[in-house]
Amino acid sequence: MQTTVEPESVKADAKAGAPKVAVRLENLSKTYPGNEQKAVDGLSLEIAVGEVVTLLGPSGCGKSTTLRMVAGLEEPDEGSIYFGDEAVVLTDTGFSLPPEKRNIGMVFQSYAIWPHMTVEENVAFPLKARKFASAEIKPRVEAILEMVGMAGMEKRPGPLLSGGQQQRVALARALVTEPRTLLLDEPFSNLDARLREQMRLEVKLLQKRLNIAILFVTHDQVEALSLSDRVALMNAGVVQQQGSPSMIYEEPANVFVRDFIGKTLLFKGRVETANPAGPMAIRVDGAPDCVVFGRSYHAERIEAGNAVFIGIRPEDVEILAASGGEAPPGMIGGTVSTALFIGERFEYQVAVDDQSRMIVYGGRHDPFPEGAKVWLRLRADGHSAWPLDQSTRETTEQ
Ligand SMILES: Nc1ncnc2c1ncn2[C@@H]1O[C@H](COP(=O)(O)OP(=O)(O)OP(=O)(O)O)[C@@H](O)[C@H]1O
Ligand SMILES: [Mg+2]
């Protein structure tokens, strides 16, 4: 299933002063020779000046191909690419601006700094290639190395740098020509977890300072949610949903998005009041008195009285000791079948009354033993509602 959701930047255009578009991709498609399936299929996306947009998705979904088409390293079969108002690729007419004229910076997963050069030679290289005067090169290199936290390491040869330092040099080299757009393809995936977090923060700060557009590629959802103004989630070459990180998390447009980002518990319930435009009230099966509210992208297919699934994020479920009798309003009963200690919390598998088994999170203090009777308190609203045929992923990862 494909769901097209209007990007928030487009909505913003209509209201306030329109943000300046840095990059616009229109209906891009690409099939590699010899492949049957399209690597990228009808992709449209806009990146405003000063915005970080992330392409997120499983391996092979077409993220790098998209980035490489923007850079000019691959030609699309169909579609157009614009930088601001300037056409860069028009497949209709066969026009394609050569990569070196596109004025973009790129950083890839492999550090790709030149090992036979020092730090400053690496960073100066793009300026020399563009025939900048040496009097101009030096201050520019110094300034950008300062910005990425590599001042003082100018003379260090490439091979004597740590992974994080090499990525900083690669970043400096990509930024030294003051590109209007920076393309980052999994730039942190070879770094350890702590360094990755640090680099994420640094790139965000740098981006705010330089106010450039960044198109970022990752398959790491935390990286995507934390770094981006907008996320485009892809599967099998197709953008499944694009929107702000919170929108993607709170209002997944389809089962793929719901199950790719975070975890979701599916409770069975019955619709009390349908609502095509907003949250609908759903009574949870197996609970004496538990009605919660959720929105659905399939609201037009859902009527009062219908059986549905309610998608509830585990952090919206609280686990409490049952103190005899029926579960109070807003809660549902269950029995702990396994308790796993994972450090910051316990993860309980709970056999929920009249529902399936669910993984529920609890604090690490005073854990519940296996066999304990518990009540689950469900947050009253902010959930998603799904017709019964939307229980599992319909698009499989490649
Ligand atoms: N040069 C190529 N020739 C043929 N097929 C290719 C080529 N490059 C990529 N593909 C195929 O195109 C599809 C998309 O690949 P792409 O590299 O864009 O995926 P990706 O989303 O970047 O994946 P990953 O997260 O693994 O980097 C895949 O099925 C891949 O096998
Ligand atoms: Mg890739």
Side-chain angles (χ1 to χ4, degrees):
M1 178 184 53
Q2 295 183 22
T3 311
T4 315
V5 180
E6 195 179 23
E8 289 188 338
S9 68
V10 174
K11 288 183 201 156
D13 275 9
K15 285 189 225 136
K20 250 178 96 191
V21 174
V23 180
R24 193 164 88 240
L25 313 181
E26 277 182 10
N27 204 24
L28 289 185
S29 292
K30 167 85 188 171
T31 309
Y32 288 103
N35 289 8
E36 270 182 25
Q37 224 202 340
K38 290 182 179 177
V40 172
D41 189 357
L43 182 143
S44 296
L45 190 69
E46 267 186 17
I47 309 156
V49 173
E51 195 181 31
V52 181
V53 174
T54 295
L55 298 176
L56 172 67
S59 186
C61 72
K63 306 179 297 289
S64 296
T65 303
T66 305
L67 215 67
R68 291 172 60 81
M69 290 193 284
V70 178
L73 304 174
E74 298 288 351
E75 290 299 333
D77 304 325
E78 281 172 60
S80 320
I81 300 176
Y82 296 86
F83 288 176
D85 297 330
E86 181 195 353
V88 175
V89 175
L90 298 171
T91 49
D92 282 352
T93 61
F95 173 74
S96 179
L97 197 68
E100 65 277 10
K101 297 219 167 115
R102 295 195 187 187
N103 191 20
I104 45 183
M106 262 193 111
V107 180
F108 298 100
Q109 174 177 354
S110 51
Y111 313 127
I113 65 166
W114 290 292
H116 58 286
M117 292 185 190
T118 63
V119 166
E120 68 183 355
E121 284 165 350
N122 260 285
V123 178
F125 187 85
L127 298 176
K128 285 189 180 145
R130 283 164 206 225
K131 311 263 184 284
F132 276 64
S134 42
E136 199 179 340
I137 292 177
K138 201 167 166 25
R140 276 207 188 208
V141 169
E142 272 173 15
I144 200 77
L145 284 175
E146 170 80 43
M147 215 178 271
V148 299
M150 289 292 289
M153 299 214 180
E154 289 80 358
K155 306 290 181 207
R156 190 78 73 90
L160 301 187
L161 298 170
S162 72
Q165 289 166 339
Q166 291 189 43
Q167 272 318 54
R168 288 195 174 89
V169 173
L171 205 55
R173 196 181 55 189
L175 289 169
V176 75
T177 54
E178 297 179 359
R180 44 191 167 180
T181 302
L182 184 61
L183 306 177
L184 301 174
D185 193 348
E186 311 247 9
F188 314 135
S189 55
N190 281 343
L191 307 178
D192 66 46
R194 189 176 298 195
L195 196 55
R196 214 157 52 213
E197 268 174 41
Q198 190 187 338
M199 288 297 287
R200 199 151 74 204
L201 212 63
E202 286 179 17
V203 165
K204 186 87 189 164
L205 291 172
L206 205 61
Q207 184 263 345
K208 284 205 183 318
R209 231 166 119 180
L210 298 173
N211 198 37
I212 54 173
I214 295 185
L215 182 56
F216 183 78
V217 160
T218 182
H219 57 260
D220 178 330
Q221 52 165 298
V222 174
E223 208 158 272
L225 296 177
S226 61
L227 196 63
S228 320
D229 298 301
R230 260 177 331 112
V231 175
L233 182 55
M234 291 180 77
N235 189 39
V238 178
V239 172
Q240 304 289 315
Q241 185 174 12
Q242 46 177 301
S244 65
S246 63
M247 181 187 170
I248 297 265
Y249 192 82
E250 306 281 345
E251 295 179 43
N254 59 37
V255 171
F256 176 82
V257 178
R258 180 192 75 198
D259 293 347
F260 191 83
I261 309 262
K263 292 200 168 74
T264 301
L265 306 174
L266 290 179
F267 286 81
K268 285 179 284 182
R270 202 162 284 278
V271 176
E272 287 216 326
T273 46
N275 182 352
M280 56 186 89
I282 304 162
R283 181 168 290 278
V284 179
D285 287 1
D289 183 18
C290 183
V291 175
V292 296
F293 289 81
R295 290 171 184 270
S296 180
Y297 267 90
H298 307 274
E300 77 290 345
R301 284 215 269 140
I302 299 178
E303 293 172 5
N306 284 174
V308 289
F309 285 115
I310 313 146
I312 301 186
R313 299 294 189 181
E315 63 271 23
D316 290 339
V317 177
E318 198 182 341
I319 184 167
L320 308 162
S323 49
E326 285 194 332
M331 300 197 204
I332 183 167
T335 308
V336 172
S337 35
T338 54
L340 284 185
F341 177 58
I342 64 151
E344 70 211 55
R345 61 171 184 248
F346 269 86
E347 292 192 359
Y348 297 103
Q349 192 184 50
V350 178
V352 184
D353 297 350
D354 282 350
Q355 305 270 352
S356 54
R357 286 174 194 273
M358 306 212 190
I359 303 291
V360 177
Y361 303 159
R364 65 179 202 278
H365 303 292
D366 304 323
F368 298 101
E370 289 170 10
K373 294 280 177 204
V374 292
W375 287 335
L376 302 182
R377 189 194 336 249
L378 309 183
R379 203 191 130 89
D381 55 13
H383 309 302
S384 54
W386 304 87
L388 290 189
D389 58 6
Q390 302 279 296
S391 61
T392 49
R393 250 183 222 198
E394 30 183 53
T395 1
T396 46
E397 285 183 28
Q398 291 176 329

